[in-house]
Amino acid sequence: MRVIIAFATLNLIACSSTFAVQQVNTKVLGAYTMFAPSTTEAPNIYARVVIEGVLTDVSQCPSLTFGKTTIPMKLRDQRPNPKHFPVTVCEAKIKPNTAYTISDSTFTLAPVTLNPEQVAVFGDTGCKSSVCENNTAAEPFKTLAEQGAKQQPQLLLHMGDFNYRGTGGAISGDTYAYDAGDGGYGGASCGLNDTYYSQNAINSPKPDTWANWQADFFAATSQLSATAPWIFARGNHELCSRAGIGWFYFFGPGANLPDAIEQQKCPAQGDYNQPPKSASAHIIVQNSYTINLKPLSIWVMDSANACDASAENGLTKVYQQQYQRLNVRSELLKAKPMWIMSHRPIWGVEDPTTKDTLNVMLQTALKNTRQGKLPEHVTFSLAGHMHIYQSSTFATSTERPPQIVVGNSGVSLSDTNSFSEFDYTLDSQDAIVNEQGKFGFLSIKLGKDGAWQGEFLDENGAEFLTCSSETTDNQAVCRAK
């Protein structure tokens, strides 16, 4: 089995200047900032701008300005096939606490703080083609994003699954793209050792495209993305067999910029007419990384390939190694609390009546570490993947942090049930679980010493759940309003 994981760093390249850069008329289609891992303790902050057309020279990129200073942007490497992505991403490393304007456009970027107090969390935000017509902006995600912007967040977290319109599953007829076992496909190996079908294979009738990314994410978030930096998790809809091409180009944490980790892209996806006999050489797992902020650290794990219902393939070892590195990293940062964010929940209740839980692979990988559990400094776990809101609150004696699934930010809900709460034995530990089938996002106010208060808000900005880091053994992390 061949699994590609990022480790290397690239050469440093200067990115700021006090002189003007020659500009060519370009149309800016989207702009955002994001936190990314660094070769130093401080995180990198990137500004990225999506430009219409396929630019071939760095002078065609817009520039960023603050005061009298101009920062030239550079062309992002690893551009996808221009036939499917007739756009270009320009990027630059930027400073905290500085507002930027983007030349020849109406786009602006708010100052980025390393000491955020207000956080907005979204997950599973795209729109199925059966729900949203043509290339209209994803709803209700666009409305939720607009409500999120009103909260004046200083940090945006996305739990993965951005692009549904372009990743319906079936590529053609009854041929389905590799999806790491989601939905039961692939048997014991979760598709890893089966014939590999990819939307992005040569001759595929349904490749990943800019049009779907633009409709499902960028058209919905222009206002929100101007307010604060993102941290992006990668969902199974962003597997290389689905919309991974766009994800690594737009949101991948690597770059050819100062102190950056290596930029990755999807491996070759084979030929659709003669598909590979195994997925192993055609998938990629982004190495986990930490964003070290002043009030807390956030550990980001790429769980896109983690099988929900089985641990019977070699990727379990990959995730075990990542959890082991988390323990090492936590020891270095034990003076502050740590949150983890991953698309697939470690502990999710799929059906309380059948005792089905998610995610078996992550649960097994964690138990197989030397410690057998998350570090005590991990105080909160965030996930998506399940198309509802769900929280799991464990007894203090289990030493497990509370987990909240934010999978209700736009895509069609898996159910529309009202709030319910029940006791459940989840991966051998007793927990209070509650859930609700209602669209929303999580708004969090950070306090002192890792404490926080939160609320789920709906399309009208109305609160329907309250959440708190302060719980007892008889109290769930989130409660009905």
Side-chain angles (χ1 to χ4, degrees), residues 284-307:
I284 189 168
V285 178
Q286 172 71 47
N287 200 19
S288 57
Y289 60 88
T290 304
I291 302 299
N292 188 21
L293 304 173
K294 289 185 178 180
L296 77 161
S297 295
I298 298 178
W299 186 72
V300 186
M301 184 182 196
D302 176 5
S303 60
N305 284 282
C307 184

Side-chain angles (χ1 to χ4, degrees), residues 256-470:
N256 189 7
L257 293 172
D259 302 318
I261 66 168
E262 181 182 7
Q263 181 182 341
Q264 292 182 278
K265 67 175 182 177
C266 289
Q269 295 295 287
D271 189 326
Y272 187 75
N273 296 326
Q274 295 180 311
K277 298 303 181 183
S278 168
S280 299
H282 307 282
I283 66 174
I284 189 168
V285 178
Q286 172 71 47
N287 200 19
S288 57
Y289 60 88
T290 304
I291 302 299
N292 188 21
L293 304 173
K294 289 185 178 180
L296 77 161
S297 295
I298 298 178
W299 186 72
V300 186
M301 184 182 196
D302 176 5
S303 60
N305 284 282
C307 184
D308 286 329
S310 173
E312 300 302 316
N313 75 38
L315 289 172
T316 302
K317 185 70 172 181
V318 173
Y319 290 113
Q320 176 186 337
Q321 293 168 347
Q322 300 223 18
Y323 282 127
Q324 288 174 172
R325 284 194 290 271
L326 169 62
N327 277 278
V328 173
R329 185 63 178 162
S330 176
E331 283 299 309
L332 297 174
L333 298 171
K334 62 184 178 182
K336 65 176 65 176
M338 178 178 283
W339 293 1
I340 62 176
M341 57 181 287
S342 165
H343 175 64
R344 298 180 192 256
I346 307 173
W347 305 288
V349 180
E350 187 172 30
D351 186 343
T353 62
T354 61
K355 307 298 183 183
D356 290 335
T357 69
L358 307 177
N359 178 277
V360 173
M361 182 172 284
L362 296 182
Q363 293 167 12
T364 303
L366 180 57
K367 284 185 284 191
N368 287 347
T369 61
R370 185 170 57 256
Q371 298 82 359
K373 61 182 181 180
L374 293 173
E376 63 181 22
H377 311 297
V378 174
T379 60
F380 190 21
S381 176
L382 282 163
H385 192 50
M386 304 170 69
H387 296 175
I388 55 172
Y389 148 78
Q390 186 180 96
S391 75
S392 301
T393 312
F394 298 90
T396 305
S397 59
T398 68
E399 299 182 326
R400 287 184 184 174
Q403 176 183 268
I404 296 179
V405 172
V406 185
N408 57 334
S409 299
V411 73
S412 301
L413 298 170
S414 57
D415 66 55
T416 55
N417 293 340
S418 58
F419 181 86
S420 64
E421 184 168 290
F422 48 91
D423 295 328
Y424 196 84
T425 301
L426 186 51
D427 186 25
S428 78
Q429 300 294 336
D430 293 338
I432 302 172
V433 178
N434 59 41
E435 60 185 25
Q436 185 169 355
K438 182 178 175 66
F439 289 117
F441 68 97
L442 176 58
S443 178
I444 297 176
K445 177 72 172 179
L446 298 178
K448 294 182 179 180
D449 301 322
W452 56 267
Q453 300 292 323
E455 55 187 7
F456 270 85
L457 304 177
D458 65 14
E459 301 101 307
N460 298 313
E463 177 185 349
F464 63 95
L465 294 166
T466 60
C467 307
S468 174
S469 60
E470 299 176 2

Side-chain angles (χ1 to χ4, degrees), residues 102-293:
I102 299 169
S103 63
D104 300 323
S105 81
T106 60
F107 287 84
T108 60
L109 299 171
V112 173
T113 177
L114 296 175
N115 190 25
E117 296 180 354
Q118 193 72 37
V119 184
V121 187
F122 299 84
D124 298 81
T125 57
C127 189
K128 295 180 179 180
S129 56
S130 59
V131 177
C132 291
E133 296 181 356
N134 302 320
N135 289 323
T136 56
E139 285 288 6
F141 176 43
K142 183 176 186 293
T143 298
L144 291 169
E146 290 168 351
Q147 292 294 343
K150 293 178 182 178
Q151 301 300 309
Q152 298 182 318
Q154 296 167 307
L155 177 63
L156 304 171
L157 306 181
H158 198 297
M159 308 316 301
D161 279 5
F162 304 79
N163 185 335
Y164 285 89
R165 214 168 316 200
T167 55
I171 305 175
S172 178
D174 294 329
T175 302
Y176 284 79
Y178 162 82
D179 196 11
D182 194 49
Y185 167 77
S189 79
C190 301
L192 191 66
N193 299 325
D194 291 341
T195 301
Y196 180 75
Y197 289 99
S198 171
Q199 291 186 213
N200 300 301
I202 297 170
N203 297 314
S204 166
K206 190 182 178 182
D208 188 18
T209 67
W210 157 250
N212 290 320
W213 275 100
Q214 194 273 340
D216 264 12
F217 183 81
F218 289 98
T221 58
S222 59
Q223 183 179 352
L224 180 64
S225 291
T227 65
W230 289 94
I231 300 177
F232 296 111
R234 179 181 175 223
N236 60 300
H237 279 260
E238 290 80 53
L239 288 166
C240 291
S241 55
R242 307 180 83 184
I245 303 296
W247 190 90
F248 277 104
Y249 189 51
F250 298 126
F251 301 147
N256 189 7
L257 293 172
D259 302 318
I261 66 168
E262 181 182 7
Q263 181 182 341
Q264 292 182 278
K265 67 175 182 177
C266 289
Q269 295 295 287
D271 189 326
Y272 187 75
N273 296 326
Q274 295 180 311
K277 298 303 181 183
S278 168
S280 299
H282 307 282
I283 66 174
I284 189 168
V285 178
Q286 172 71 47
N287 200 19
S288 57
Y289 60 88
T290 304
I291 302 299
N292 188 21
L293 304 173

Side-chain angles (χ1 to χ4, degrees), residues 68-87:
K68 296 182 179 180
T69 300
T70 298
I71 299 179
M73 306 189 81
K74 67 167 299 188
L75 296 171
R76 181 155 169 77
D77 293 340
Q78 313 289 8
R79 177 186 290 143
N81 185 338
K83 177 181 177 181
H84 308 309
F85 287 84
V87 294

